[in-house]
Amino acid sequence: MTAGPAEDTRTRLLHTALRLFTEHGVEGTSLQMIADALGITKAAVYYHFKTKAELTEAVAEPGIRDLDELVLRAGAQKRRGAQVDLLLEGFVDLVVRHRTLVALFSSDPGLIRAIEKSAHGGMEGFGQALLGILSGPAPDTTSRVNAMVALTGIAMAGGSPDLASLDDEELRTELLDVGRRLLGRPRRRTHLPVSTL
Amino acid sequence: MTAGPAEDTRTRLLHTALRLFTEHGVEGTSLQMIADALGITKAAVYYHFKTKAELTEAVAEPGIRDLDELVLRAGAQKRRGAQVDLLLEGFVDLVVRHRTLVALFSSDPGLIRAIEKSAHGGMEGFGQALLGILSGPAPDTTSRVNAMVALTGIAMAGGSPDLASLDDEELRTELLDVGRRLLGRPRRRTHLPVSTL
């Protein structure tokens, strides 16, 4: 199945919107600006998205969907260690995969506000779900602080222009290491350490 | 010297502005809203601040001034360990002291934009100065990521409503501990550990 021209325009609309949101903020970007950047009419934009709120939700949708799935998968693990490892690895993957979107989420309340009104119940709900799994049941203050620093630090660093030069694999390894250190999880190795014998 | 009524109004203006900025965002708050909340005329606001940009800078000023001083003091230390310790302790102090302002900085690009046009050269400049001291000269990727996660994680957790119930001393201790762990600095003790002999 190939993408029809309508689907093509929709995808291009979403990419262009994300780019302009990053440059001008969600609230500083109009549907007219997006139409102009694509060389299409505002009517053509309206054909796909009735309102800017609808478009904004669609831009954030892939990240939100992945986050939703991650919370469900991690919550379904039986052992606490497995829950934390799965959530941390999945969260780092997600941050790396959606770097541009994460940068926007970290810096633009316009995007967060747009999501708040969505069916997902907002970032606040996700934040609580992620923190709940990472810090465990009835957490002490230290566990809560560690979980919060891990989540926000990974998201902020992952979306930071200062680390944009790192390739995905490098960024993933670094963010995983720092997250494991913060959450007291053992560092996994994909290959065996060189023997010192 | 006691505060005159004019100075009083200025201080109340700054407090009210910070509160309304937190509730509605910088860009969602008008000078009229601030005047109304204080029960004064818009003309009375203009007497103190010619524009909203001027008022916004004045709201952020105490935090910016402390940050400026901190970067200078830390940079003046001879030993790298002393630079990192002083910067980390000072940054945690600052985040705890200016919790509300930090929360606003973490979530409102309107505030960041207002500061960007100020004489201080913007948060970007501060961020680079702080990161430069924490990650050291010619840092490797891991040091850069650790410094970034420490700074952003401490700021985000410190400003988070989830930790608003912690008192200043508790929050300071927790943020310092997590910062030291991330930056590989020894944990300082204000009293000696109980001997195990």
Side-chain angles (χ1 to χ4, degrees):
Chain A
M1 206 170 85
T2 55
E7 192 178 350
D8 239 11
T9 306
R10 191 178 190 276
T11 307
R12 284 166 59 222
L13 264 168
L14 293 176
H15 285 153
T16 305
L18 179 55
R19 183 169 59 78
L20 292 179
F21 287 172
T22 301
E23 281 171 32
H24 309 287
V26 172
E27 277 156 19
T29 304
S30 65
L31 291 184
Q32 186 65 60
M33 285 162 76
I34 297 169
D36 290 348
L38 275 168
I40 62 177
T41 63
K42 208 165 148 188
V45 178
Y46 280 129
Y47 175 78
H48 294 276
F49 303 100
K50 295 284 165 288
T51 61
K52 198 173 85 176
E54 210 176 285
L55 170 62
T56 309
E57 279 191 38
V59 166
E61 217 276 326
I64 296 288
R65 196 182 45 216
D66 287 356
L67 203 50
D68 207 12
E69 200 184 290
L70 175 61
V71 169
L72 288 176
R73 273 198 304 139
Q77 300 297 309
K78 293 227 169 51
R79 288 177 33 250
R80 244 200 74 59
Q83 287 193 345
V84 173
D85 288 341
L86 196 147
L87 192 75
L88 178 63
E89 282 164 37
F91 187 69
V92 166
D93 270 351
L94 190 154
V95 164
V96 172
R97 198 162 57 244
H98 299 292
R99 279 195 209 193
T100 316
L101 187 60
V102 167
L104 195 59
F105 263 112
S106 315
S107 66
D108 198 325
L111 184 60
I112 296 167
R113 272 197 281 275
I115 305 310
E116 254 156 33
K117 292 165 199 150
S118 84
H120 299 283
M123 288 312 291
E124 181 62 19
F126 274 121
Q128 293 304 326
L130 294 167
L131 284 173
I133 293 176
L134 283 193
S135 55
D140 60 13
T141 305
T142 303
S143 306
R144 285 165 63 209
V145 171
N146 285 342
M148 200 171 298
V149 170
L151 280 178
T152 59
I154 286 170
M156 298 291 288
S160 165
D162 286 331
L163 298 180
S165 63
L166 299 188
D167 68 35
D168 285 3
E169 201 39 49
E170 210 178 352
L171 183 62
R172 182 179 289 115
T173 306
E174 293 290 344
L175 294 180
L176 258 182
D177 274 0
V178 74
R180 284 181 183 136
R181 208 136 49 83
L182 277 170
L183 299 168
R185 300 300 304 159
R187 190 165 163 178
R188 293 193 192 178
R189 298 174 188 276
T190 45
H191 50 83
L192 291 172
V194 176
S195 169
T196 51
L197 284 177
Chain B
M1 204 170 83
T2 56
E7 193 179 349
D8 240 9
T9 305
R10 192 178 190 276
T11 307
R12 283 165 60 221
L13 264 168
L14 293 176
H15 285 153
T16 305
L18 179 55
R19 182 170 60 79
L20 292 178
F21 287 172
T22 302
E23 281 170 32
H24 309 287
V26 172
E27 277 155 19
T29 305
S30 64
L31 290 184
Q32 187 64 60
M33 286 161 77
I34 297 170
D36 290 348
L38 275 169
I40 62 178
T41 64
K42 208 166 148 187
V45 177
Y46 279 129
Y47 175 78
H48 294 276
F49 303 101
K50 295 284 164 289
T51 60
K52 198 173 85 177
E54 210 177 283
L55 170 61
T56 308
E57 279 192 37
V59 166
E61 216 276 326
I64 297 288
R65 196 181 46 216
D66 286 355
L67 203 50
D68 207 12
E69 200 185 290
L70 174 62
V71 169
L72 288 177
R73 274 198 304 139
Q77 301 297 310
K78 293 228 168 53
R79 289 176 33 249
R80 241 199 76 57
Q83 288 193 345
V84 173
D85 288 340
L86 196 147
L87 192 76
L88 178 62
E89 283 165 34
F91 187 69
V92 166
D93 271 351
L94 190 153
V95 164
V96 172
R97 199 162 56 245
H98 299 290
R99 278 194 208 194
T100 316
L101 188 59
V102 167
L104 196 59
F105 262 113
S106 315
S107 66
D108 197 327
L111 185 60
I112 296 167
R113 271 197 283 275
I115 305 308
E116 254 157 33
K117 293 166 199 149
S118 84
H120 299 284
M123 287 313 290
E124 181 63 19
F126 274 120
Q128 292 304 325
L130 294 167
L131 284 174
I133 293 176
L134 283 192
S135 55
D140 60 13
T141 303
T142 303
S143 306
R144 285 165 62 209
V145 171
N146 285 341
M148 200 170 299
V149 170
L151 279 178
T152 59
I154 285 171
M156 298 291 289
S160 164
D162 285 331
L163 298 179
S165 63
L166 299 189
D167 68 36
D168 285 2
E169 201 37 51
E170 210 178 353
L171 183 61
R172 181 179 290 115
T173 306
E174 292 291 344
L175 294 179
L176 259 181
D177 275 359
V178 74
R180 284 182 183 136
R181 208 137 50 84
L182 277 170
L183 299 167
R185 300 299 304 159
R187 190 165 162 178
R188 292 193 192 180
R189 295 173 189 276
T190 46
H191 51 84
L192 291 171
V194 175
S195 168
T196 53
L197 284 177

